[in-house]
Each structure stands twice: as C-alpha cells, then as structure tokens.
Amino acid sequence: MEPIEIGIYVSAGMLVMVLLGMRVAFAAGLAGYVGLVWLRWNGFDYDPDRFWKAVEISTKIAGLTPHSKVSAQVLSLIPVFIMIGYLAYYAKLTTALFEACKRWFAWVPGGLAVSTVFATAGFAAVSGASVATAAVFARIAIPEMLKIGYNKQFAAGVVAAGGTLASLIPPSAILVIYAIIVEQDVGMLLLAGFIPGVFSAIVYAALIIGIAVIWKNVGPPVTGFTWKQRFESLPPALPIVAVVVIIIFFVYNPFGDAWGTPTEGGAVGAFIVFLMALYRGMRWGQLKEALLETAKLTVMIFTIIWGVLIYVRFLGFAELPDAFSQWITSLETAPIVILICILLAYAVLGMFMDAIGMLLLTLPVVYPAVMALNGGETVAAADSAFGMSGPMCAIWFGILVVKMAEFCLITPPIGLNCFVVAGVRDDLTVQDVFKGVMPFFLADAVTIALLVAFPAIVLWLPTLATQ
C-alpha cells in the first residue's frame, strides 16, 4: 500500500473520532501513533515477526517529536500572554477599561454595547485568551446593559463576539501557535494582527450602531457624562496602554532597533501588570487563582499541541501535504477562488472543532498548498499569484485563518465563547447566546472579505518593520 493511502485512511479515522466526541489532542495523538506503526510495518511488508520492531521505532518517534517542538523558547509566550490577562483582571484593569469606554462612547446608539466591544479589544491587548476575555466581560458588561433595558440575547452576543478579538490583537496565543506550526517569525505575526484586530472591533461597533439606529429599543444610548468625568477615567486604564506599547516596541521600534524579543516583551508586560495588581490590592488567594487558571489553560493548549505534533510527523512520512499541494496547484481555477473555498471550509470545520485544534490539524496540509498557490516560499511579489512575496503571504494567510478561528469561537454547535458566557451567567442559556451572536456573523464575513480584497490592511505594519 502506498504511504499516501495510509495517510488518507488514518486522517479519515481521526476525523471520525473527533466527530464522535473524542478530544482533538487524544484523537490526533492516537491517529498519528497508529499511522506511524502502520507506515513502518508497511515498510516491512507486514512481516509478523517485525511488527513489534515497527511498534518500537514508532514509539520512539512519537515520544521524541513533541519534546523537540515544545521545547522551543518562543512557546513560553503562551503562558505569559495568558497570565497577563488573569493578572489584569485581578488588578481591576478590566473594570477601569470598561468604565473609560463607557464614559467616552456610551452616548452613541447602542453605546454600552459599543463600549463593551472597545473594552474587550483593549483587554485583548493584554490577554492572549479569547475565553478569558469573554468570561471577564460577561461579569462586567452584561449586568450594565441589562440594567438599562438591553435585550439579554443581544447583550450576551456582544460579549461573546467581542471576546474573539483576543485571537488577533497581540498578544495572541493562537498567532504564536500558528507561527510555531508553519515556522514563521512570531514577532511579524503579532505585529500584523494589530490593525486587523482593531479593524474588526470597528466593524463590530458599526454593526451595533446600525442595529441600534434601525431598532430603537435594542440599545438606548447613555448620556450625562461630563468631559471632566471622561478624562478622569483615563489614568486607571493607562497600564493597558503601557503594556501594549511595550510589547509592540519589543517586536518593532519605528525609531530604531527593537527593544528585545517578543518573549522578553511579554515577560516585561506581565511584570508590569503584576506590580499593578499588587498596588491595587491583589491578595495571595487571587494570585494563586490567576496562576492556577493560567496553568490549566496552558496545559490544555500544550496537550493539544503534543497530540497534533505526533499526527503532523506521521503526515510528513505519509507525504500527504506534498500530494495535497500538487493537487491544489493542478486545479484550473483562479488561486483566489481556491483560497476563498479554503476559508469557507474552515467556517464549516469550525462548527465541529475548537479553534486551536482545527488550526493545528489543518495547517500542516493547507499551509503548504496555499504557499504553492502563491508561487512558493521564496517567490517574489512580482511573480506571485496573490501579489505578495512568500514571507508576506505566510503572514497574510496566518491572519486570515486566525480570523476564521475567531469566527469559529461563536458558531454553533461548538462555539466556545458562547458556552463560556452562558456558563458565567445563570440567567442565560447557550441558545440565548447563539441567537445573540448571529448579527456578528455578517460583521465577520465583511471583515474577512475586506482582508482578502485589501491585503495591505494586514501587511502594512510588517512591511514597515522589514524596511
């Protein structure tokens, strides 16, 4: 049997396990290990006497593969980014940020919802976890909106959708994972996510204002704040601005050399937020809770990475990514049409898988195909299909798939942010939250379409950094 046939059968088996409810980490790890054994035994012509030799060799490969990747220093960014978010919560930066946004933006139609979106975007700049963002603002923003008469489904949808912004706005754990899987510069990816993340927040805000203007009773504006009150709300939220500036300057300094590596920038940002949390009264119990929650989420992410890396190694031996790339490039269809079909496939796949698992499982096959469509890893912009060089295409595609991962965080039946919001609020069901996020599907579709049509939105900052 040809290796590629084994690759197809094992991949199909893994998808069946995932659809039946097995965790992605265990399904991928098991499928990868079985595939390695099968490939090795196939190489021994299925000699019964050499089966255990095939098992021994495959076990060594499966055991060494995760460590070789996970020991990379850049992965330390993931727990650091997650910890920043939890420490910021206990430093009460979330409350200060929401209050500032409320005083500055609540006067527009749907003002509290708009304030929530901008506050979640600001918190996303110090938190790499969408789930944490949704959980925090479900406690802070939803009661405020319900108090002045917002529809509870709409209020829940605003928080669930706003929480997804943490996937793009740096620091972003998902962008770090993408960089590791496709072996791209994590600093450039974090830089590239900033403008699309802010752009997504603006599109969300415009949608909310439009809904509030058409349906007057959806989101009444809040007035009465003086200019003095508005300016008084800014200093308590300034630490978030400081953390954002520090992380960006550690990635890209427009006035000279970068201050350091993204890992160092994340560590400095975490230390600043830690000091602010202590200054604002964080106690040992709260610090312990922040560290435990950071550890839990980090272990979950790393477990998925370990399992998927075994599967990825198997795919390499089965030569499936190369075969898929050759098939994609052989199609007599415009490359941009193929790219749109790939993004639509992500939208469907995201209905049944969590965002991180979906990216980890698909990128080893899809990423080489997209790069081949553009002309290869080293192609120049003038010779490419998408009008950009190989490295820029890798960054652009990364932002697109992470935006699709954001979209998957609110799509039924798996949309994780919706379950988190419903879990935090006893007065909401998951069905309520899913109904509330439906208008934001349109906003995400518009954002993705504009990012595809105008790559400069993604590539402007990375281009400046490489000049």
Side-chain angles (χ1 to χ4, degrees), residues 178-267:
Y178 174 86
I180 294 297
I181 294 297
V182 304
E183 298 181 346
Q184 291 295 324
D185 185 278
V186 66
M188 288 295 100
L189 280 159
L190 291 174
L191 198 61
F194 185 74
I195 291 179
V198 173
F199 183 74
S200 294
I202 293 172
V203 173
Y204 279 170
L207 173 72
I208 292 167
I209 292 173
I211 290 173
V213 168
I214 296 171
W215 291 283
K216 304 279 186 193
N217 61 336
V218 168
V222 178
T223 57
F225 293 112
T226 65
W227 284 104
K228 180 181 178 182
Q229 289 174 320
R230 288 171 178 165
F231 283 108
E232 286 176 347
S233 69
L234 295 179
L238 284 180
I240 287 181
V241 178
V243 172
V244 173
V245 170
I246 286 170
I247 291 176
I248 289 178
F249 271 71
F250 268 84
V251 174
Y252 165 60
N253 179 5
F255 308 108
D257 294 334
W259 292 356
T261 66
T263 305
E264 293 166 344

Side-chain angles (χ1 to χ4, degrees), residues 335-351:
I336 193 67
V337 174
I338 297 175
L339 176 66
I340 292 171
C341 291
I342 289 173
L343 296 178
L344 290 174
Y346 272 114
V348 175
L349 194 59
M351 295 180 182

